[in-house]
Amino acid sequence: MASENREIIEAAATVIALRSPDGLHVSAPANWREIDLQYDAPAHLVVRLTPAGDNATAVEVFQREALLAAETLRGYRSADGLADLIEGVHRRAIERA
């Protein structure tokens, strides 16, 4: 199950990249533990995705290395669903900043 969750997280990162305007860079090491979505604008934001069990994803949002938000997402069934949840965490973090 863990490998299935990793595949969903990778696919969700791809969905977010396709939805986003230019200025988003996706980075993950070869044997990744986390994926970083790096936004150049408006303020050097990083959204970090980390598997948090078989059916959960930890999402952290940083601005210039300061933690703005941290949530663990559960209950998603698809990459699109997870992408929607991740974008919600990102949006709320920006609104609070």
Side-chain angles (χ1 to χ4, degrees), residues 60-72:
E60 298 172 302
V61 181
F62 298 91
Q63 181 177 34
R64 299 184 192 269
E65 299 184 21
L67 182 64
L68 299 179
E71 293 187 33
T72 299

Side-chain angles (χ1 to χ4, degrees), residues 4-21 24-28 32 34-39 47-51 57-59 73 76 78-87 90:
E4 181 179 316
N5 191 42
R6 291 173 86 85
E7 290 173 9
I8 291 173
I9 295 168
E10 289 174 341
T14 300
V15 167
I16 292 168
L18 291 172
R19 291 179 183 174
S20 298
L24 169 65
H25 306 284
V26 178
S27 64
W32 68 274
E34 57 198 27
I35 294 176
D36 284 349
L37 307 174
Q38 301 171 349
Y39 295 85
V47 178
R48 179 163 293 147
L49 312 175
T50 309
T57 302
V59 179
L73 305 176
Y76 51 86
S78 68
D80 286 325
L82 178 56
D84 292 342
L85 294 172
I86 293 166
E87 289 174 328
H90 180 190

